[in-house]
Amino acid sequence: MKRRLTFIAVLVVTIALALSGCGTAKTDDKSGGVAKDKIKIGFIYVGPANDGGWTQAHDNGRKYMVEQLGLSADQTVIKEIVNDANADSEQVMRDMIDQGCNIIFATSFGYASHVEKIAKEYPDVKFYHCSGYIKGDNISTYFGRMYEPRYLSGIVAGLKTKTDRIGYAAAFETPEVISGINAFALGVKSVNPDAKIIVKWTHTWIDAAQEKAAAVALLNDGCDVISQHNDSTSPQVAAEQKGAYAIGYNIDNPTAAPKAYMTAPIWNWGPYYQAEVQSVIDGSWKPSDYHGGMAEGILDLAPLTAVAPTEAKALVDDAKAKIKDGSLQVFAGEIKDQAGNVKVEKGKYLDYAQIMSTDMNWFVDNVEGVIEAQ
């Protein structure tokens, strides 16, 4: 696909757009790109833009991209709180295209099949799906090696716990979430082999009440540190209210629970958004599957607060440097699952594709929990 319109088709569409004031901006005949003032970008969010977590990280990236490229405020369109469990996003995408969007970023896993459907209907629009695996001539997917800073946050948690029980509020049984739990558990094990990670599923990406309830249940079960793969800060708030400690997620947000918050694995989407939109402008765009890590700057571990254990910084800094230069692989063997089976042999390690595949349907041996469904 990636169809090139003929000159006549371009002329017809251009006239139609001028008359209607809607539709997608078309390719510049000379460069294959799109003039910067004709770029319009839609962002579909599963939560509110100020959620203090996942969606705010994406919106921060959007704002960075707008500033760096010198776009006007009306060149991006956002739609918040779009359910990714049904087809609502399909109409949102159509509406964005009617408003002139020629690039659309769908920022939640559940949008996958809907992006795939709408991308076929609009082959001249560039679609991006975050954390997914769908393919298409006008579809790119993007995520990151979040397991890298997850591992580092495990070091912090493993050093902090006194009960050797660390709670983990987790969204869904997807490779993205399971691999994050396992990476966190491996980080814990590297400094505290006696500690256990207790997993409780919320089956929601963002629902503050459900997330808090999961954290409270973990705290009542003896956990004194809470980590999370959910989007709100409510697990951290629950930890503070119980006199426990917390690892956040998505953005550095120490204000929600300042007495509990120690650090967080965080996203930095801005440079990626900037580079991808620039590639559309200059005509070099092609579909891709991006999965950068800490070395590429898309991910990091937020600075440790005064609540974190003092001995953690040196260990985290050392491990971070080794992950970035490749001398430390998070999923390096020997690694056993809960049943004692060797999943990664000594001297070998899992690569990104293996980590993020459906074969990652097991927990490492210091995790207590059940993978209920895929």
Side-chain angles (χ1 to χ4, degrees):
M1 285 172 47
K2 204 172 186 181
R3 302 169 187 170
R4 298 279 181 177
L5 295 175
T6 63
F7 176 78
I8 295 173
V10 172
L11 182 61
V12 169
V13 173
T14 303
I15 294 171
L17 291 179
L19 293 173
S20 67
C22 66
T24 60
K26 296 302 174 182
T27 302
D28 182 287
D29 317 272
K30 297 178 181 178
S31 68
V34 178
K36 190 168 76 170
D37 63 352
K38 300 299 183 184
I39 285 287
K40 196 163 188 178
I41 310 145
F43 286 82
I44 305 175
Y45 296 152
V46 72
N50 62 347
D51 68 352
W54 173 259
T55 296
Q56 188 167 336
H58 283 283
D59 202 53
N60 288 345
R62 178 189 67 85
K63 292 173 181 175
Y64 175 94
M65 177 268 296
V66 167
E67 180 180 356
Q68 294 299 310
L69 293 179
L71 303 181
S72 61
D74 63 356
Q75 285 184 264
T76 60
V77 177
I78 69 171
K79 182 65 174 177
E80 303 170 81
I81 317 177
V82 180
N83 194 328
D84 72 347
N86 57 39
D88 290 355
S89 61
E90 294 179 15
Q91 188 56 48
V92 170
M93 284 183 265
R94 291 190 181 99
D95 290 345
M96 287 178 168
I97 293 166
D98 284 345
Q99 292 176 65
C101 290
N102 41 26
I103 303 170
I104 292 178
F105 290 95
T107 64
S108 187
F109 178 82
Y111 298 137
S113 62
H114 311 299
V115 168
E116 189 172 34
K117 177 181 177 180
I118 302 302
K120 290 176 181 177
E121 294 180 17
Y122 297 92
D124 297 306
V125 177
K126 307 293 190 294
F127 291 85
Y128 288 81
H129 179 235
C130 187
S131 75
Y133 49 83
I134 57 174
K135 305 296 182 185
D137 288 348
N138 59 330
I139 302 173
S140 286
T141 55
Y142 65 108
F143 198 55
R145 301 191 297 273
M146 176 48 74
Y147 51 85
E148 295 176 349
R150 287 276 187 205
Y151 178 91
L152 300 181
S153 70
I155 293 174
V156 179
L159 292 171
K160 189 67 176 181
T161 181
K162 301 300 181 187
T163 65
D164 286 340
R165 292 180 69 78
I166 300 168
Y168 202 111
F172 292 100
E173 296 87 337
T174 66
E176 169 194 341
V177 179
I178 295 168
S179 63
I181 294 168
N182 282 339
F184 178 79
L186 291 169
V188 170
K189 180 184 279 193
S190 73
V191 296
N192 185 350
D194 296 325
K196 301 294 183 184
I197 290 77
I198 320 301
V199 175
K200 189 162 185 64
W201 300 104
T202 64
H203 294 129
T204 177
W205 295 113
I206 178 164
D207 184 314
Q210 285 184 240
E211 294 169 44
K212 188 171 184 180
V216 168
L218 291 164
L219 293 159
N220 289 341
D221 192 29
C223 298
D224 61 349
V225 176
I226 298 294
S227 188
Q228 66 180 87
H229 194 132
N230 290 108
D231 295 350
S232 85
T233 58
S234 61
Q236 300 156 55
V237 173
E240 181 169 278
Q241 291 172 346
K242 290 278 189 177
Y245 303 98
I247 303 288
Y249 180 42
N250 295 304
I251 65 173
D252 185 16
N253 188 9
T255 59
K259 295 179 181 178
Y261 176 86
M262 295 187 291
T263 186
I266 57 175
W267 293 100
N268 178 27
W269 297 111
Y272 174 77
Y273 285 148
Q274 177 189 352
E276 289 301 305
V277 173
Q278 183 64 54
S279 75
V280 176
I281 293 169
D282 64 28
S284 63
W285 187 91
K286 59 180 64 177
S288 61
D289 179 17
Y290 178 83
H291 45 84
M294 292 194 299
E296 292 79 15
I298 193 171
L299 297 161
D300 205 349
L301 187 72
L304 305 189
T305 71
V307 181
T310 55
E311 66 270 35
K313 187 177 186 306
L315 292 172
V316 165
D317 288 348
D318 180 65
K320 181 191 290 189
K322 290 177 178 176
I323 289 172
K324 290 173 76 171
D325 70 19
S327 60
L328 192 164
Q329 294 291 331
V330 171
F331 285 92
E334 182 181 75
I335 300 174
K336 294 181 179 179
D337 67 13
Q338 292 168 311
N341 302 308
V342 176
K343 304 300 289 188
V344 186
E345 297 177 3
K346 188 175 182 178
K348 297 183 179 181
Y349 65 87
L350 302 182
D351 61 20
Y352 179 85
Q354 292 170 312
I355 293 165
M356 297 300 289
S357 80
T358 53
D359 289 339
M360 182 64 76
N361 60 358
W362 48 271
F363 281 143
V364 298
D365 56 6
N366 61 331
V367 175
E368 292 182 7
V370 175
I371 299 173
E372 299 171 1
Q374 286 274 20

